[in-house]
Amino acid sequence: MSLDSRQAVATHDGRADASVAANGDSKGSWGDTEDSYGHSGPVNKPKSPKPENAVTIAVSSRVLFRTETEQKVFEERGVEEYLKYQVEHENEPFAPGPAFPFVKALETVNSQLRELYPDSEELFDIVLVTYNHAHVGVRLINTINYHNLFIERFCMTGGSSPIGYLKAYHTNLYLSADAEKVREALAEGIAAATMFTPEKLIEVSDTQLRVAFDGDAVLFSDESERIFKTHGLDKFFEHEKEHENKLLDHGPLKGFLEALGKLQKKFYEKGHRLDCPIRTYLVTARSAASSGIRALKTLRAWGLETDEALFLAGAPKGPMLEKIRPHIYFDDQMFHVEGAAEMGTIAAHVPYGIAQKHPHKKDSSKSK
Amino acid sequence: MNTDDDVKQKDPSRAVVIAISHDAVFDLKEEQEPKAPAAASGVLNPGPGFPFVKAVQRVNEKLVEKNPNETLLFDVILLSSKDRPKSQSEVANSIKHYGLEITRLCFCNNENFTSVLRSNKVKLFLSTNTDYITKAQDTGVPAALLYGQRGTATLDQLRVLFIGDSLGFSEDTTDRPKDEDTGEDQLQSVQLTQSSLEDLVALIGEMRRKFGRENSPLCACLMTVCSPRNVCVRALKRLRAWGLEVDEAFCLAGAPQSRLLAHIQPHILYDHGLQYTLDVPALS
């Protein structure tokens, strides 16, 4: 199987034609690479899938790109100056942000899915959803062109809430730098997480998409976490043992794991189980021998699995994540997100459940 | 033509004249059961274009607040059919009843309405009837679709949506999709409307600039329906070149339009040739 990320393109008679390398030597020109659909040009871009068929990932501009300078202008000098600044720097592309490697990895998976299933619309569809004003649109699209990203759909809401648009696009996952918007999305039943720009970024794979999930309050509900927070560790263990065979309720990211699993199966069916370009991980503070059992049983009952399950029994997650190097790691506790980010892991906070009201204290690292 | 003496007439050299059919502003369905009891006797119920008229009024109010001598204002005129005298008085009553800022009532029929548009220097014609819209566009008058389910459109902000798929093509008309009927007449009408569209866009842009980014009573949006992102960017730049910086932009690249439109809730939808608004639900 080819390892370099190429966008396979179907020509009119259905044969796959290799086109320009996804991150080719020449950074894309400012001008247009082609006109509308259906016109033959040097590059025939594949058509975007219908939202109901695809796994739609909505990313905001602040996580896809690095916009700290511009943010500062906005905070210090207000919206008019900010927009002026953006327009003045319209032809300067933004640098990649924390969600960038994740988006690139999604595209790699897409190109391989297209090779195996040229007629299928079961692909990732990345949509830029920003509450920026459309003034910034030109610079954002110029940047997308510059980095050769396959993002054809965008939504610039000019200051109003993007949540309604997320629903209109059948969004499966929303990534933003704004915790408030993420909370709103979660409240509407859309999987969402807040991303932060880490100090350093360790290298991640460019051939395999790796997604890591915390268990409680991410894949599962926060019910067990509540017991732990209210009654302590011993009560937690007792409770989990008693209810070992009772399924945990689902958490906000369960649906996204499910969507990944469906795509994984498509690779398995074509004989790519061992070298599947999607790999998922459960990274939980639960213990393998005790409380972890309920987690595994629940996943199994849901018909879901992760490729690897790491039961840390309370040990810090940072070193483990550093080994895994996921393109994104979801956790409901800022303590873990920060710990991971310190070691260069791209971590995203899911502001869901009891942990938001009772943040983890740094000195109490207990095993679960 | 009737002028309403209570409503101040606008400066004809600067006013942005918008013509709207009276049966879009008011509910005139006499043949069927009335949908709701009449507001008062002799007064009609609001129709799909009603929120538009109210929103335009608010823009004018805000413009005058900033500058009491402002001449760049919207000037809404109603087109009314000659054939129904009873409804004419009902329309006049209703205008008074709802306090609508409508300066003129023009009578015409299906055949001569385009010349009425021209003689009144109409810059934009609005209707829920796609045939009338196309007819107006063919004679070089920009025309747009009144969008919206009754009762859901906002009255606080005038929202104008431009469909940018044809705006984003380059000047060379050989760029256009081959399946479009590109007869000579069609090309001419596109070019004719193009310059009036430019004028209209420039005026809207000028109005928009009088307000800040937030809390503006006027909001301009751009949407491309089936074109890739670069077409959307070209459309953004073209509108900008004509004098309008849009507030919101959406590139659908083939995603279904109606759900998004239902969320955007524009009052009016400008799409030349109505080629890209097949998804829009019927209004009346």
Side-chain angles (χ1 to χ4, degrees):
Chain A
M1 184 172 71
S2 81
L3 289 182
D4 54 278
S5 40
R6 289 194 292 172
Q7 295 221 10
V9 168
T11 56
H12 291 300
D13 59 7
R15 279 180 294 119
D17 233 16
S19 71
V20 184
N23 222 350
D25 28 70
S26 64
K27 292 293 190 183
S29 64
W30 283 127
D32 323 300
T33 50
E34 87 273 81
D35 291 320
S36 72
Y37 285 149
H39 285 176
S40 54
V43 177
N44 258 344
K45 272 199 204 156
K47 212 171 143 219
S48 292
K50 286 197 203 62
E52 56 268 27
N53 297 336
V55 179
T56 304
I57 317 274
V59 291
S60 82
S61 52
R62 284 168 61 193
V63 298
L64 185 57
F65 304 123
R66 294 195 67 144
T67 56
E68 288 105 307
T69 320
E70 290 74 14
Q71 263 311 105
K72 214 153 160 261
V73 173
F74 175 70
E75 279 156 19
E76 289 172 6
R77 298 190 256 154
V79 66
E80 300 286 342
E81 282 300 312
Y82 163 77
L83 291 174
K84 228 174 95 191
Y85 182 93
Q86 291 281 30
V87 174
E88 276 165 18
H89 296 260
E90 216 165 65
N91 292 322
E92 293 164 34
F94 293 111
F100 193 91
F102 177 59
V103 167
K104 275 304 214 186
L106 295 174
E107 287 184 6
T108 307
V109 174
N110 269 0
S111 60
Q112 291 175 68
L113 278 171
R114 284 197 172 99
E115 258 179 67
L116 296 174
Y117 300 90
D119 299 319
S120 173
E121 291 213 317
E122 289 171 337
L123 299 162
F124 289 112
D125 183 28
I126 303 137
V127 181
L128 178 70
V129 175
T130 171
Y131 56 102
N132 259 307
H133 286 83
H135 294 51
V136 190
V138 180
R139 189 176 185 191
L140 286 172
I141 304 306
N142 283 345
T143 307
I144 289 175
N145 286 340
Y146 177 79
H147 291 290
N148 221 338
L149 294 175
F150 189 76
I151 298 176
E152 289 303 330
R153 293 187 169 136
F154 56 83
C155 210
M156 293 164 195
T157 71
S160 44
S161 168
I163 304 304
Y165 301 102
L166 294 179
K167 287 159 87 165
Y169 274 109
H170 299 258
T171 305
N172 295 91
L173 176 68
Y174 173 52
L175 299 173
S176 170
D178 185 330
E180 205 40 63
K181 307 245 168 339
V182 169
R183 267 191 282 267
E184 263 185 74
L186 288 174
E188 294 287 333
I190 301 170
T194 321
M195 293 191 86
F196 307 91
T197 306
E199 294 291 318
K200 62 170 184 172
L201 260 187
I202 52 176
E203 260 189 54
V204 288
S205 166
D206 59 0
T207 54
Q208 185 181 62
L209 169 68
R210 294 187 183 161
V211 184
F213 301 86
D214 175 30
D216 295 283
V218 173
L219 287 179
F220 312 117
S221 74
D222 70 339
E223 55 192 89
S224 302
E225 197 121 337
R226 285 175 184 269
I227 309 271
F228 171 60
K229 295 275 191 222
T230 341
H231 301 291
L233 196 54
D234 294 330
K235 244 316 188 257
F236 167 82
F237 276 127
E238 228 184 84
H239 182 267
E240 292 305 291
K241 191 90 183 89
E242 254 177 65
H243 295 93
E244 206 174 81
N245 293 312
K246 180 164 177 277
L247 298 185
L248 286 160
D249 215 350
H250 68 89
L253 271 291
K254 178 211 174 206
F256 184 58
L257 176 64
E258 204 165 353
L260 290 176
K262 284 205 179 104
L263 292 179
Q264 279 181 309
K265 287 200 176 64
K266 297 187 76 160
F267 285 104
Y268 300 164
E269 278 160 22
K270 295 274 182 171
H272 291 293
R273 188 178 269 275
L274 291 180
D275 57 350
C276 183
I278 302 175
R279 196 161 180 83
T280 55
Y281 305 78
L282 171 66
V283 181
T284 173
R286 286 179 179 248
S287 314
S290 52
S291 49
I293 298 176
R294 192 179 178 199
L296 285 179
K297 286 193 175 186
T298 304
L299 282 178
R300 194 173 303 150
W302 288 344
L304 298 180
E305 56 181 21
T306 54
D307 294 288
E308 291 183 36
L310 297 124
F311 298 98
L312 297 175
K317 297 187 179 184
M320 190 54 64
L321 288 165
E322 210 241 341
K323 286 200 173 55
I324 296 171
R325 300 184 172 214
H327 291 88
I328 191 165
Y329 166 61
F330 298 101
D331 200 304
D332 66 309
Q333 304 202 50
M334 271 310 291
F335 168 71
H336 289 303
V337 170
E338 280 161 359
E342 263 164 40
M343 301 193 70
T345 298
I346 308 169
H349 181 228
V350 184
Y352 168 81
I354 193 75
Q356 316 316 313
K357 298 198 184 84
H358 301 283
H360 185 126
K361 290 185 190 48
K362 262 200 143 107
D363 50 22
S364 59
S365 48
K366 303 225 167 62
S367 42
K368 272 214 266 184
Chain B
M1 181 168 75
N2 283 350
T3 56
D4 185 338
D5 298 321
D6 295 332
V7 177
K8 187 166 164 224
Q9 296 299 312
K10 310 280 189 302
D11 178 347
S13 59
R14 285 277 281 163
V16 181
V17 182
I18 301 186
I20 178 169
S21 173
H22 75 308
D23 64 357
V25 179
F26 300 113
D27 189 355
L28 288 180
K29 294 225 165 48
E30 297 158 337
E31 308 87 60
Q32 299 163 10
E33 287 293 313
K35 287 202 169 84
S41 71
V43 170
L44 301 160
N45 283 323
F50 190 87
F52 166 78
V53 177
K54 279 292 193 187
V56 158
Q57 231 160 286
R58 186 158 187 273
V59 176
N60 280 353
E61 271 164 29
K62 292 289 170 190
L63 283 169
V64 169
E65 240 175 61
K66 285 193 178 281
N67 173 9
N69 299 318
E70 182 62 74
T71 49
L72 180 65
L73 297 169
F74 285 117
D75 185 5
V76 179
I77 70 175
L78 235 50
L79 297 184
S80 189
S81 164
K82 284 184 193 154
D83 310 326
R84 294 194 291 199
K86 175 173 186 264
S87 67
Q88 286 168 22
S89 57
E90 279 181 325
V91 167
N93 281 342
S94 308
I95 291 173
K96 269 206 171 59
H97 176 87
Y98 292 109
L100 299 183
E101 199 190 311
I102 290 171
T103 55
R104 282 166 279 165
L105 211 53
C106 301
F107 297 101
C108 58
N109 54 40
N110 294 355
E111 285 75 45
N112 73 352
F113 88 97
T114 50
S115 50
V116 169
L117 293 180
R118 304 197 83 85
S119 58
N120 281 281
K121 296 197 174 49
V122 168
K123 297 224 161 53
L124 177 64
F125 169 63
L126 299 176
S127 179
T128 54
N129 183 315
T130 51
D131 288 331
Y132 289 165
I133 293 174
T134 326
K135 242 186 179 157
Q137 287 179 350
D138 285 343
T139 61
V141 177
L145 191 65
L146 276 166
Y147 173 89
Q149 288 86 43
R150 260 163 252 209
T152 56
T154 177
L155 305 179
D156 288 340
Q157 183 186 64
L158 177 63
R159 296 172 64 75
V160 179
L161 176 68
F162 292 94
I163 301 291
D165 298 72
S166 43
L167 285 175
F169 284 111
S170 45
E171 301 287 9
D172 180 6
T173 50
T174 58
D175 244 354
R176 294 168 192 279
K178 292 289 185 277
D179 48 57
E180 182 187 333
D181 173 16
T182 46
E184 263 310 303
D185 292 338
Q186 177 82 338
L187 279 177
Q188 258 191 15
S189 95
V190 164
Q191 280 152 7
L192 200 60
T193 341
Q194 183 106 313
S195 62
S196 349
L197 178 62
E198 256 186 72
D199 286 340
L200 175 67
V201 167
L203 290 168
I204 295 178
E206 208 186 316
M207 278 186 187
R208 180 66 189 86
R209 274 193 294 283
K210 295 184 195 279
F211 304 105
R213 267 318 114 197
E214 336 242 270
N215 301 316
S216 165
L218 171 60
C219 177
C221 311
L222 170 71
M223 176 192 282
T224 51
V225 173
C226 58
S227 307
R229 62 182 187 245
N230 289 321
V231 173
C232 195
V233 169
R234 267 205 294 240
L236 267 176
K237 286 182 170 170
R238 176 159 289 181
L239 289 175
R240 180 197 284 178
W242 289 350
L244 173 66
E245 288 273 15
V246 301
D247 299 279
E248 305 177 14
F250 306 91
C251 183
L252 299 187
Q257 219 185 15
S258 42
R259 288 188 79 174
L260 210 73
L261 280 177
H263 196 75
I264 297 172
Q265 285 287 333
H267 291 96
I268 60 184
L269 212 154
Y270 186 92
D271 173 24
H272 189 86
L274 294 173
Q275 301 166 54
Y276 300 101
T277 42
L278 308 167
D279 230 4
V280 178
L283 289 163
S284 29

